[in-house]
Amino acid sequence: MSHQKSFQYADLLSVLERVVDIMSAPDQYSYPSVFIYGHRATGKSHVVLSIMKDLELPHASVDCVECVSSGLLFHQVLSAFFGPDAAALLPRCPSLSDFVRLYKQMSSNSPATQTRYIILDRAERMRDMDFSLLPALLRLQELVNDNVTVILLSEIVWEKFRPNTGCFEPLLFHFPDYSKGKSLVQILSWDHHPSYTPELYASYINILLGVFFSVCRDLRELRHLAVLNFSKFCEPLEKGEAKESDIHKLWKNIEPHLQRAMQTVYLREVSSVQWEQQQMDEKEATTLRVLSAHAHIELPYYSKFLLIAAYLASFNPARTDRRFFLKSHGKIRKTNFLKKHEKTSNHLLGPKPFPLDRLMAIFYSVVDSRVAPTASVFSQISSLVTLQLLSQVGHDDQLDSPKYKCSVSLDFILAISRCVCVCVRLLDLLALSLVIQSQVVRQERSLFTAVSNLHLL
Amino acid sequence: MFNAAEMSEIPLTSSVSKGCFVFKSASKKRKRHVGVEVLPSLHQLNKKVLDSLAEFIKKHGLGCSSDNWRQRARETPTAALMLGVNVPDHAMTFRSLCNLLQDSVTPFVVSVHAKECAAVKLLIQKVLEQLMGRGVSVDEEQEDDTALLQRTQCTISALCQWYKTVTKSLPVVVIFKDFEAFNSQVLQDFILICSRYTQELPFIFIFGIATSPSAIQHRLPHSVSSLLCIEVFHSLSRTQHLASVFDKLILNSQFPFKLSSRVIQVLVGIFLYHDFSVQNFVKGLQFSMLEHFKSQPLSMLCCQKQEALLSAKTLSKKNVERIRHLPSFMRYVETQEPQEQVQLLTNDEHVKVTLLFHNKLHVSCIEKNLWETEEYDSALQLLRILAKDELVAALRKCAEILKSTKILQNVLQQLEDFIGRLEALEGVSSEDSSGNGIISGKMEYQRTDLFQLQKTLLEKESRRTKRMNPYEVLRSQVIEFIDSLVREYLTPAELQPLNEVCYYSSSGVLRQRLNVTPRTSIQAALSHPFYYLQNESLKTDAGTISSAAPDLCIVYKLHLECGRLINLYDWLEAFLTVMSAAEDQDTNSEECGKYDSLKHARFIQAVSEMEFLGFIKSTKQKTDHVARLTWGGC
């Protein structure tokens, strides 16, 4: 879709014209199915629904997320076209043929004077439903012999929908992204504040986009952010410190604020209500406690050790256990101590599954005191699994030899071991096993920053 | 004595929280109320958090219509309630939260559990059931509608229709009890669906989170979490929670039953090392109480003072004899004058009188809250570095306690004198030696993290080589005084006469019962069958395999000698050898070495029992082999 990036507002208008074209002759049979795609908040459903409303066309609008079964979809369509009584005639678990039969029966009683539209929002969910549903809906017109058009709305391209067996090809429309220069500013400027001039609001929007456009193109989100931060923008004006023409001064005032918003309220680390409140009592300099600031988890003492042991088991090759956890391990020559593939991997490859007894063996060697194998030690493992700090792998042999994976990050483990490590030995152990991985970790970190940079671009 | 049948009459689970304990004494057949200071229902402790949550919901329930712009952004107000890692403990909190919300905010409260919501459909069904079912049951006129509702589709739009008929415009609160356990896809879909209806149906979510708030970001992508307006609420941390339970139950003079320091160590150890569960702690307390009343016949004296006095007067001869045999009482007798000793040992009445006296002394001792003698040193060191105002406050507190007890008046006098002198120092510029805000109360139970802090503080103290100012001189005097005071009056509880009446001290039993080791007991049963069966013929030396033992034990002992894979044939051979060794002794055994189908069958049964117990399993790596699932040999 990269070639479509330079789409302008005019392109959107042309798309609209074509869409309206299809719908402008309601008394004739229309094209059986239309597929409209575009990113979030590019106005797909809004456009389609407002056309329906303005032209007063008969339509059934269904959100596929809600349709946990295809029966619900049929029910909604029938009740929209023929009233709830018709929908009530559907059997308990309606099949596609039930739907078609009932539709035919109903439409013969009340034949369509104009095209009926079935609008399926978030159509990508249809792929998870019955495999015959999508191909059947695409040629529903044929099946029910009625003037009906199915409009599919999705964020994904059509190629990802096409079933293996092939199907009727719908008419494709693409709603392009809003470009920064014109359309976004224009649209966002529509909801300007009545007590300020539209020009001021437009310049505010420009500043806002300058900060947020690189990370977010969702119109809905941008509007939300614009409303949230506007009062702060106007603060100097209200105090009389600046005039509407002092754009530079206003920019200086708002820019750091917006940067902060990007790190907190945009990521929902701070709720919008809290953000507003903070703006109100800014003078008191309240520091908001963000969500990720409470990453610390209080765990029972042995649970911490279990988690550390699980981490070591997950990221160290089993061959090296002998070296790390046995006091009198045999001499291993350094040169070929690790195989080549082991040197490169571990953190990049992610956690590996390990059996329960390996976990317990490492646990006993890591814990400084003698621990009885009590029931509560074992129940801690299962509670770590429910907390999703460990995850259980495989389902075939759960009773005899369950396997686990450690699903927490290195930073988390380091934080935990810092509060647990009274004994130096464990620190050594961690350090030792991490030395091998440190190089990998460094690589991984740089990769992460690279990826996040890419994301920002 | 209490027999088993009577023990079963004791309300096991609700005992502490319900109030009085009812015991039937077998000899006297009368009910005895052991006044137990009630466990203040735990939700009192979480009251603050719950109230702020209710406030949050009220605010959003009312404010949602006025804030026009938030409607546009379709944000659903969400409270992230941090409850700590022990999930079973949360049940009580959620129950009281539900009640609180239903009483004060909105009748529409739904709480869902991850187990019952494996798919969105089930989750929606659960929500609908709880909401609409409840609405109907409140209003009986709508009874006919229920049939209709059951036939309607299980969707949120159906809920919307229903909500319009109710028209109370109160928020609908959905509580996700265990957020971590929910399938993230289910959660995402549910939030997406609900956000479509925010205009008509004011939803408010409460996530019960056990780990940390970042769990929300791990489970939900930005497109979904941007539909939420999340605020975080913290409940009391587990250790704080435990401390308050301690204050209310153990450091309480109203509560005659006491635990010895060893028992407390066991209970606190289970809490800190294993589960962080306050509920389990309270259960442990209940259990030790039961054990105490069951195993110690003199525990009948462990009740409120009035009743104790009454029952002490009417002690039976047998029980008086028991008192004489108490080690602590014997120690006490030894310290008395000779003729007093004779009297104590012969005259029942005299024993009773002394008993009354001691009971008083005992209570006074307990009232001062000093029971953890090993913590005393560290607390004293802490006092030594307290800043002045804190010291005065601490002394004031002591004075308060002493005033209320009406004993040790001279001590009180001295204390007040010290306080006066400290205040007189006001003019003298006394710099705050180390401004650290630890209010040690007096001897409250110190937790490990506090120990760390103390260590660093002590290091700081030792490094300082300043000259002492007047305040410091006075402070050291005060500390000396307190030290001498404590040494005089607060001897360890174990040394007090008659401590056995009130103190439960068998920590071994408690550990055995509460911190069970199933594997150890299975291994003990298999390797030492005598331990459980108590059959003389099973007594063996360590390391040998007796043929008299059950087949399973023989097979188990033999398998300990094997590696990870066990050859079944070799195993059978070894088994037969052991069996025939026994026969060799009594008969000359002509059929030795021959396969006896009976023995074969016995072997197979024992092996399958081993598999059932989880020691071995069949393997595909090698034919005729089984894999061992435990490690370690004999």
Side-chain angles (χ1 to χ4, degrees):
Chain A
M1 280 190 291
S2 56
H3 65 283
Q4 289 162 337
K5 227 175 192 170
S6 56
F7 254 104
Q8 293 300 305
Y9 200 50
D11 299 315
L12 184 61
L13 284 180
S14 76
V15 172
L16 283 182
E17 264 171 31
R18 283 168 59 205
V19 174
V20 173
D21 250 4
I22 298 172
M23 301 173 180
S24 59
D27 47 340
Q28 292 162 13
Y29 266 51
S30 174
Y31 200 75
S33 48
V34 178
F35 182 84
I36 300 175
Y37 69 101
H39 278 157
R40 247 155 69 82
T42 44
K44 303 179 294 289
S45 1
H46 183 73
V47 164
V48 172
L49 288 175
S50 30
I51 291 172
M52 293 292 154
K53 230 176 167 183
D54 290 349
L55 299 179
E56 290 174 346
L57 297 169
H59 67 276
S61 166
V62 181
D63 192 333
C64 290
V65 181
E66 267 184 272
C67 298
V68 285
S69 65
S70 49
L72 280 178
L73 196 150
F74 302 150
H75 190 275
Q76 289 194 26
V77 170
L78 285 176
S79 67
F81 287 154
F82 310 108
D85 295 339
L89 291 174
L90 275 173
R92 216 179 140 66
C93 287
S95 67
L96 189 65
S97 58
D98 285 330
F99 171 65
V100 170
R101 181 176 50 79
L102 210 59
Y103 192 101
K104 262 182 173 166
Q105 193 186 325
M106 288 295 155
S107 64
S108 62
N109 292 344
S110 55
T113 50
Q114 40 186 334
T115 315
R116 290 176 169 135
Y117 291 96
I118 298 173
I119 302 157
L120 299 172
D121 208 344
R122 277 188 256 255
E124 59 267 16
R125 297 299 177 109
M126 299 256 294
R127 297 178 299 172
D128 306 329
M129 288 150 92
D130 196 6
F131 72 98
S132 63
L133 186 66
L134 184 64
L137 282 177
L138 288 173
R139 51 204 316 165
L140 189 68
Q141 201 174 70
E142 261 175 72
L143 286 171
V144 298
N145 238 333
D146 188 34
N147 187 2
V148 64
T149 295
V150 176
I151 301 177
L152 303 167
L153 304 175
S154 176
E155 291 173 25
I156 309 179
V157 291
W158 169 247
E159 280 70 28
K160 303 267 178 193
F161 278 75
R162 199 178 283 136
N164 293 336
T165 47
C167 66
F168 183 83
E169 288 289 312
L171 210 56
L172 300 184
F173 287 108
H174 176 236
F175 272 54
D177 280 349
Y178 299 113
S179 61
K180 183 187 175 185
K182 274 189 188 165
S183 39
L184 266 181
V185 176
Q186 259 177 340
I187 296 166
L188 286 169
S189 304
W190 283 337
D191 38 27
H192 68 85
H193 208 270
S195 50
Y196 297 98
T197 60
E199 288 78 34
L200 179 79
Y201 199 79
S203 60
Y204 166 63
I205 292 299
N206 266 321
I207 294 169
L208 185 87
L209 285 180
V211 176
F212 282 103
F213 189 71
S214 53
V215 290
C216 170
R217 282 154 199 229
D218 187 340
L219 179 66
R220 211 178 294 145
E221 191 69 29
L222 285 170
R223 266 172 95 178
H224 175 62
L225 288 166
V227 175
L228 270 184
N229 296 305
F230 188 60
S231 64
K232 175 78 185 172
F233 179 73
C234 296
E235 218 174 63
L237 295 173
E238 273 166 14
K239 283 183 195 160
E241 289 168 0
K243 276 179 279 180
E244 287 202 8
S245 51
D246 294 345
I247 295 299
H248 185 70
K249 200 165 185 181
L250 290 175
W251 177 80
K252 259 192 147 172
N253 175 45
I254 194 73
E255 214 267 351
H257 187 72
L258 290 180
Q259 289 287 358
R260 205 138 43 85
M262 185 160 75
Q263 280 153 21
T264 53
V265 73
Y266 170 64
L267 295 175
R268 295 303 188 276
E269 299 240 322
V270 168
S271 79
S272 44
V273 176
Q274 284 175 321
W275 182 252
E276 276 184 326
Q277 238 155 30
Q278 193 199 22
Q279 278 180 352
M280 287 194 200
D281 41 43
E282 187 97 46
K283 293 124 215 163
E284 291 154 38
T286 49
T287 45
L288 272 177
R289 299 190 296 174
V290 295
L291 282 189
S292 55
H294 316 278
H296 175 67
I297 299 177
E298 252 184 79
L299 284 173
Y301 191 67
Y302 287 144
S303 294
K304 285 179 185 168
F305 276 109
L306 280 171
L307 207 55
I308 291 171
Y311 186 82
L312 292 172
S314 238
F315 284 98
N316 281 335
R319 290 191 317 114
T320 58
D321 283 356
R322 205 178 158 70
R323 182 187 165 96
F324 290 147
F325 304 112
L326 236 57
K327 268 173 192 150
S328 56
H329 56 79
K331 271 235 161 133
I332 306 168
R333 273 205 291 171
K334 212 176 179 183
T335 43
N336 50 7
F337 168 56
L338 286 175
K339 285 177 189 153
K340 201 172 182 188
H341 68 271
E342 285 171 346
K343 269 181 196 161
T344 48
S345 54
N346 287 338
H347 266 96
L348 286 176
L349 289 177
K352 288 190 196 62
F354 52 84
L356 177 65
D357 35 358
R358 185 165 167 233
L359 171 71
M360 293 317 288
I362 296 180
F363 171 69
Y364 287 128
S365 79
V366 160
V367 167
D368 44 357
S369 56
R370 231 189 119 256
V371 189
T374 59
S376 43
V377 168
F378 288 99
S379 75
Q380 280 176 63
I381 296 176
S382 53
S383 55
L384 284 176
V385 172
T386 45
L387 295 178
Q388 304 213 341
L389 299 173
L390 296 185
S391 55
Q392 211 159 4
V393 201
H395 296 282
D396 46 341
D397 204 4
Q398 288 309 296
L399 215 56
D400 293 336
S401 51
K403 283 190 170 178
Y404 300 92
K405 258 184 191 179
C406 180
S407 46
V408 297
S409 65
L410 174 66
D411 293 333
F412 187 92
I413 285 296
L414 284 179
I416 277 188
S417 44
R418 222 171 286 131
C419 44
V420 157
C421 280
V422 229
C423 68
V424 189
R425 196 172 149 253
L426 182 59
L427 260 181
D428 279 352
L429 260 175
L430 266 179
L432 191 65
S433 57
L434 289 176
V435 159
I436 312 160
Q437 295 162 4
S438 64
Q439 202 182 354
V440 185
V441 172
R442 226 175 291 129
Q443 280 170 9
E444 180 196 39
R445 287 248 166 84
S446 60
L447 197 76
F448 272 143
T449 44
V451 167
S452 54
N453 283 339
L454 271 178
H455 186 72
L456 286 175
L457 292 170
Chain B
M1 292 297 282
F2 304 103
N3 60 36
E6 275 158 355
M7 285 308 294
S8 65
E9 283 173 26
I10 298 155
L12 236 174
T13 47
S14 58
S15 55
V16 172
S17 51
K18 285 285 153 54
C20 293
F21 234 19
V22 183
F23 278 100
K24 270 187 193 165
S25 167
S27 57
K28 299 188 178 172
K29 291 281 180 200
R30 69 184 170 118
K31 284 187 179 168
R32 172 178 298 284
H33 295 260
V34 178
V36 168
E37 172 56 12
V38 186
L39 169 71
S41 50
L42 282 173
H43 94 249
Q44 281 289 322
L45 301 170
N46 273 322
K47 203 171 179 325
K48 218 171 137 192
V49 194
L50 296 186
D51 283 345
S52 62
L53 251 176
E55 200 53 45
F56 167 81
I57 286 161
K58 261 184 208 160
K59 188 178 79 188
H60 282 282
L62 298 172
C64 63
S65 54
S66 58
D67 295 353
N68 207 8
W69 60 268
R70 198 165 304 125
Q71 289 290 308
R72 229 172 357 184
R74 301 203 302 189
E75 281 193 346
T76 311
T78 304
L81 182 56
M82 314 305 302
L83 288 168
V85 288
N86 195 289
V87 180
D89 258 19
H90 302 173
M92 204 189 289
T93 315
F94 279 121
R95 216 176 305 135
S96 46
L97 175 64
C98 270
N99 291 338
L100 179 72
L101 291 180
Q102 273 168 354
D103 290 346
S104 63
V105 189
T106 167
F108 309 127
V109 183
V110 183
S111 51
V112 285
H113 226 272
K115 280 200 293 237
E116 37 192 43
C117 308
V120 198
K121 200 173 165 182
L122 296 172
L123 177 54
I124 293 176
Q125 192 186 351
K126 209 83 212 165
V127 170
L128 257 65
E129 259 173 24
Q130 289 191 35
L131 276 178
M132 293 155 98
R134 189 164 300 157
V136 168
S137 68
V138 167
D139 203 348
E140 274 176 277
E141 289 170 13
Q142 293 182 333
E143 190 95 15
D144 351 354
D145 291 341
T146 28
L148 251 176
L149 285 171
Q150 276 164 2
R151 272 199 284 133
T152 51
Q153 296 285 335
C154 176
T155 56
I156 299 288
S157 62
L159 185 68
C160 258
Q161 298 296 327
W162 168 83
Y163 187 75
K164 273 175 201 150
T165 63
V166 180
T167 57
K168 277 183 186 157
S169 71
L170 289 167
V172 175
V173 182
V174 183
I175 304 174
F176 297 88
K177 281 183 180 167
D178 39 357
F179 181 78
E180 276 88 358
F182 272 93
N183 181 354
S184 70
Q185 193 57 48
V186 170
L187 269 178
Q188 286 170 29
D189 284 358
F190 185 73
I191 292 169
L192 279 175
I193 295 170
C194 287
S195 73
R196 278 175 61 86
Y197 292 96
T198 37
Q199 312 273 354
E200 301 112 79
L201 249 176
F203 274 110
I204 293 177
F205 299 141
I206 296 176
F207 296 155
I209 296 177
T211 51
S212 73
S214 50
I216 298 177
Q217 286 163 340
H218 290 163
R219 302 283 176 296
L220 304 176
H222 183 246
S223 61
V224 175
S225 67
S226 67
L227 298 172
L228 302 175
C229 176
I230 306 162
E231 257 177 72
V232 182
F233 294 86
H234 282 270
S235 74
L236 232 59
S237 86
R238 292 291 102 181
T239 40
Q240 279 172 312
H241 207 137
L242 182 74
S244 53
V245 171
F246 245 90
D247 280 346
K248 296 235 164 74
L249 286 180
I250 295 173
L251 301 182
N252 196 332
S253 57
Q254 302 297 312
F255 196 74
F257 172 73
K258 300 284 162 194
L259 300 172
S260 77
S261 63
R262 299 286 291 282
V263 173
I264 286 173
Q265 264 175 10
V266 170
L267 286 177
V268 171
I270 292 175
F271 177 82
L272 286 180
Y273 285 101
H274 291 294
D275 55 7
F276 266 3
S277 166
V278 177
Q279 226 167 321
N280 274 0
F281 181 82
V282 173
K283 290 224 175 94
L285 197 63
Q286 289 176 350
F287 178 80
S288 48
M289 200 148 77
L290 271 181
E291 269 293 313
H292 179 62
F293 286 123
K294 185 185 151 208
S295 59
Q296 175 61 264
L298 288 173
S299 63
M300 62 190 287
L301 291 174
C302 174
C303 51
Q304 294 296 6
K305 207 162 143 191
Q306 301 295 327
E307 285 178 59
L309 295 181
L310 203 73
S311 51
K313 275 181 199 147
T314 54
L315 267 182
S316 68
K317 203 164 174 69
K318 202 166 134 199
N319 279 337
V320 173
E321 201 51 46
R322 277 203 190 102
I323 288 175
R324 290 210 181 99
H325 284 111
L326 287 181
S328 65
F329 191 77
M330 274 148 78
R331 268 201 305 275
Y332 172 71
V333 169
E334 277 157 25
T335 58
Q336 300 300 313
E337 301 291 312
Q339 69 264 51
E340 178 89 359
Q341 274 186 25
V342 176
Q343 261 199 321
L344 277 174
L345 293 176
T346 51
N347 189 345
D348 282 1
E349 281 307 309
H350 197 85
V351 173
K352 283 177 192 171
V353 172
T354 43
L355 205 66
L356 297 187
F357 167 70
H358 277 296
N359 210 312
K360 259 186 220 159
L361 185 81
H362 208 76
V363 171
S364 75
C365 190
I366 290 157
E367 270 168 358
K368 269 178 290 165
N369 291 353
L370 275 186
W371 43 272
E372 279 271 293
T373 39
E374 69 252 47
E375 307 294 355
Y376 170 67
D377 275 345
S378 60
L380 204 63
Q381 275 169 333
L382 202 66
L383 271 183
R384 227 163 251 156
I385 49 172
L386 273 184
K388 183 182 138 196
D389 42 351
E390 282 159 7
L391 187 62
V392 172
L395 288 180
R396 283 251 165 77
K397 227 189 255 172
C398 300
E400 286 291 309
I401 294 169
L402 289 177
K403 259 179 211 159
S404 60
T405 54
K406 297 197 174 91
I407 352 169
L408 307 171
Q409 285 301 327
N410 56 332
V411 178
L412 179 61
Q413 207 103 73
Q414 268 173 292
L415 258 180
E416 272 167 354
D417 181 41
F418 270 121
I419 294 173
R421 277 164 69 189
L422 274 170
E423 272 165 353
L425 269 173
E426 205 73 61
V428 186
S429 66
S430 60
E431 57 181 294
D432 273 4
S433 48
S434 67
N436 211 309
I438 315 151
I439 299 156
S440 80
K442 220 177 151 197
M443 306 290 160
E444 271 170 58
Y445 184 68
Q446 325 264 324
R447 248 161 275 102
T448 28
D449 48 352
L450 203 54
F451 272 125
Q452 294 297 328
L453 197 62
Q454 279 174 24
K455 246 180 233 166
T456 52
L457 281 175
L458 289 178
E459 277 165 23
K460 237 193 253 169
E461 170 78 0
S462 58
R463 254 181 265 138
R464 206 186 299 128
T465 48
K466 266 187 285 177
R467 270 173 53 213
M468 285 166 89
N469 58 25
Y471 163 64
E472 279 162 347
V473 175
L474 191 55
R475 184 176 61 189
S476 58
Q477 278 177 9
V478 170
I479 288 163
E480 255 167 51
F481 167 69
I482 292 178
D483 190 25
S484 64
L485 198 66
V486 169
R487 274 176 212 288
E488 185 178 351
Y489 290 101
L490 298 173
T491 47
E494 278 81 9
L495 297 181
Q496 296 284 338
L498 295 179
N499 69 68
E500 288 90 341
V501 171
C502 290
Y503 279 80
Y504 177 68
S505 56
S506 49
S507 58
V509 175
L510 203 63
R511 187 179 291 129
Q512 209 178 13
R513 296 285 150 80
L514 295 185
N515 206 0
V516 286
T517 54
R519 199 173 137 190
T520 321
S521 41
I522 287 180
Q523 279 173 342
L526 291 177
S527 49
H528 306 287
F530 174 73
Y531 187 78
Y532 286 109
L533 295 178
Q534 297 289 324
N535 186 343
E536 284 300 321
S537 66
L538 296 178
K539 256 188 179 170
T540 52
D541 305 327
T544 59
I545 303 174
S546 153
S547 58
D551 296 344
L552 183 60
C553 298
I554 299 172
V555 167
Y556 171 77
K557 278 198 174 174
L558 288 172
H559 111 290
L560 286 179
E561 291 159 10
C562 301
R564 211 182 69 78
L565 289 176
I566 306 171
N567 187 331
L568 274 175
Y569 183 78
D570 293 348
W571 203 3
L572 173 64
E573 284 284 305
F575 179 73
L576 289 176
T577 315
V578 173
M579 299 297 285
S580 56
E583 278 157 20
D584 275 344
Q585 284 163 8
D586 31 86
T587 61
N588 294 353
S589 81
E590 285 138 27
E591 71 269 71
C592 177
K594 221 195 272 175
Y595 274 2
D596 186 343
S597 60
L598 181 68
K599 280 177 194 162
H600 200 158
R602 280 167 68 182
F603 173 73
I604 290 172
Q605 193 186 5
V607 168
S608 61
E609 274 168 2
M610 286 280 286
E611 194 170 353
F612 178 70
L613 287 173
F615 284 99
I616 54 166
K617 67 164 185 173
S618 58
T619 177
K620 283 172 193 155
Q621 287 180 15
K622 252 177 171 180
T623 46
D624 299 342
H625 280 68
V626 288
R628 256 184 89 174
L629 293 169
T630 55
W631 77 94
C634 44

